Amino acid sequence: MRTPRRLLLAEDVTVSSRTTGLFTGPAMEVWDRIEAPETQVLMSPETVLAGRLPGTGRGVGEIQYHVREVDHRRDLVAIEILEYEHGRRAVTETITHPDVRLRTTTLLESAGDDRVRLTHEWSMVLPAGTDAAHAEAMNTYVDACAEHTATMLRRVLD
């Protein structure tokens, strides 16, 4: 009996998903709320603790962490800020799991009349040789991250 051949990616592939929302309020107030790691506690009922890793400063190089409790287990998520323009743009990447490097780009733009447009883009590079079924699962995961973020931002910002 032959085992089916696994399909593998022939080259690196980036999976990504984006969500954009309009919110009311001064841009800096919105930025300060989404930038604060403690906001994760408000955004997600599973998050029991969040903060900045002491000694990492603010902006580029800063490490933020979130401790989530799921199915009676605690899970640590840590992100590092790779690029930062205060009040406008931040690029972060998860550093907790070396095999899953999820990158998030957050962009805040004025939309006029005391409104702002907030865009989050989630992306992940899957290296050549990745199992195609795993790649599809990661694509679904990135889409779910974007959807979850959009829902939770409404909870915090509206």
Side-chain angles (χ1 to χ4, degrees), residues 75-126:
D75 181 39
L76 173 69
V77 176
I79 62 168
E80 180 177 6
I81 298 177
L82 304 176
E83 298 174 28
Y84 185 78
E85 297 173 51
H86 182 71
R88 184 179 178 295
R89 183 175 175 272
V91 177
T92 66
E93 187 172 75
T94 57
I95 59 173
T96 317
H97 307 288
D99 56 330
V100 180
R101 304 291 284 204
L102 188 60
R103 185 170 283 207
T104 305
T105 301
T106 302
L107 179 64
L108 186 67
E109 303 169 291
S110 173
D113 296 329
D114 202 32
R115 292 172 54 103
V116 294
R117 178 176 298 105
L118 181 60
T119 302
H120 271 82
E121 181 175 4
W122 296 76
S123 65
M124 179 184 305
V125 176
L126 303 172

Side-chain angles (χ1 to χ4, degrees), residues 27-39:
M28 288 312 294
E29 282 184 23
V30 172
W31 182 263
D32 289 343
R33 287 170 69 191
I34 63 168
E35 178 190 36
E38 296 79 13
T39 299

Side-chain angles (χ1 to χ4, degrees), residues 7 49 63 103:
L7 296 174
L49 180 67
I63 296 175
R103 185 170 283 207

